[in-house]
Amino acid sequence: MNEVTGNVVGNRSGFSLSIVVPAYNEEEVLKECHQRIADVTANIDGNAELIFVNDGSTDGTLEILQQLKSTDPRIAIVDLSRNFGKEIAMTAGMDHARGDAVVVIDADLQDPPELIPEMIRHWQDGYDVVYAKRTSRAGESALKKVTAYLYYRTIGKLSRVKIPADAGDFRLLSRRAVDALAGLREQHRFMKGLFAWIGYPQKAIPYERHARHDGKTKWNFRSLWSFAIEGITSFSIMPLKVATYVGVATAFGAFLFGLFLIIQTLLFDNPVAGYPSLMVAVLFLGGIQLIALGIIGEYLGRMFDETKGRPLYLLKGYQAAERSTDD
Ligand code: UDP
Ligand code: MG
């Protein structure tokens, strides 16, 4: 059955599935989201639990989750002590997932839950990570599309692990992949990179990303920018090396220019007229040095955060799903 890894996977049927849904101020969409997921899970041959992570919402998200839980005992609620951001919310959800396979999906229905059965099929064939790859992004600005495109290409070039382009966080993970991820406790979590870092057989399935069902995106330009920096600094030390190369190139250029000045002075007895070139050289070098310092600072700041060794998140509450009897 499993030609991919050569391991015995066993018969992955009669399995249990955990679906992790991070939610931050999603009161408008949660009911619809639950409905769509419930429709899908009704038709799979396994048990499902739905883990909603309330990421410090300030609206009625938690109340709606409680309501839903009273009608559907398969729901678990992980209530974080404050807003920690999607990456950590997903991690909290995965930490509480008990299934043989775990699906991570956005609450806003941009990722169609109807793809889950297909993901399960690939997992049953032996893949550890089945991720959805966008073929289109509806309802997003041209600027966001272009920057996303360029960004995934850049990080693909810089990073030592292969981060698939145009894949979001919507994916299915096998138990061993979830356990592997659980061992990576870095504060600065670039999940797309971490998913790729664990390796294991991975499979992409194409899908069309829909516009948000309701509510609005939690991203703004600033958060996207820091997300982008996060991705690069977490998975590449290339920027640190750039300073070395630029330094060598500048020094070499300066050496040649020095030679040129000496020869010019010896041969043509050039009167000193160096103010503009001096200014340019001083400012140019000053700029480069500050950039290099800033880059070092980005990495240093991250080391500072990691050395504190704080837990990734704190819980305000946790209500487990009720296990079905045939579990
Ligand atoms: N989200 C979260 N914590 C945050 C921001 C977002 O848990 O601080 C959740 C959000 O509720 C949604 C998912 O992450 O389920 C994706 O968020 P969003 O739709 O804002 O991002 P986009 O789809 O625009 O990338
Ligand atoms: Mg969204």
Side-chain angles (χ1 to χ4, degrees), residues 106 108 110 209 212:
D106 283 1
D108 59 9
Q110 278 189 286
R209 187 157 166 92
R212 250 180 174 274

Side-chain angles (χ1 to χ4, degrees), residues 25-223:
N25 294 346
E26 298 285 8
E27 58 181 6
E28 299 97 338
V29 292
L30 278 176
K31 287 204 173 115
E32 173 79 13
C33 169
H34 170 253
Q35 190 54 50
R36 291 264 299 272
I37 294 178
D39 288 348
V40 168
T41 50
N43 296 320
I44 60 171
D45 113 64
N47 299 312
E49 61 171 352
L50 271 78
I51 305 179
F52 284 95
V53 183
N54 175 32
D55 186 15
S57 302
T58 51
D59 65 355
T61 296
L62 186 61
E63 288 69 43
I64 293 180
L65 289 179
Q66 304 282 14
Q67 257 174 44
L68 287 172
K69 185 169 169 55
S70 62
T71 61
D72 183 352
R74 297 172 311 163
I75 292 184
I77 303 177
V78 177
D79 190 20
L80 302 184
S81 64
R82 62 169 169 86
N83 178 251
F84 282 91
K86 181 185 178 188
E87 317 272 312
I88 287 184
M90 285 194 287
T91 308
M94 284 192 274
D95 287 346
H96 289 85
R98 296 175 295 191
D100 304 315
V102 178
V103 170
V104 183
I105 186 169
D106 283 1
D108 59 9
L109 295 170
Q110 278 189 286
D111 309 323
E114 291 72 27
L115 228 53
I116 293 176
E118 192 185 341
M119 291 178 158
I120 294 174
R121 275 197 297 282
H122 292 299
W123 167 68
Q124 286 172 327
D125 287 344
Y127 288 100
D128 285 273
V129 179
V130 185
Y131 59 91
K133 199 173 156 77
R134 289 182 285 262
T135 52
S136 70
R137 308 168 70 113
E140 297 186 3
S141 68
L143 182 69
K144 188 162 176 187
K145 286 182 195 162
V146 170
T147 45
Y149 177 88
L150 290 176
Y151 179 66
Y152 285 118
R153 274 22 178 219
T154 314
I155 198 157
K157 291 266 181 318
L158 285 180
S159 165
R160 283 168 295 175
V161 294
K162 230 184 118 25
I163 298 174
D166 303 323
D169 296 318
F170 181 29
R171 61 188 68 216
L172 178 146
L173 301 155
S174 68
R175 179 39 53 194
R176 70 170 175 179
V178 174
D179 290 344
L181 272 176
L184 310 178
R185 301 311 279 182
E186 55 232 75
Q187 298 281 337
H188 291 271
R189 306 181 76 69
F190 182 65
M191 291 303 278
K192 292 182 218 303
L194 297 181
F195 290 137
W197 183 91
I198 58 173
Y200 293 140
Q202 310 215 351
K203 168 95 184 160
I205 52 180
Y207 80 118
E208 284 186 19
R209 187 157 166 92
H210 301 288
R212 250 180 174 274
H213 179 71
D214 206 338
K216 55 178 188 298
T217 175
K218 311 297 178 298
W219 293 99
N220 52 34
F221 185 73
R222 215 185 61 170
S223 59

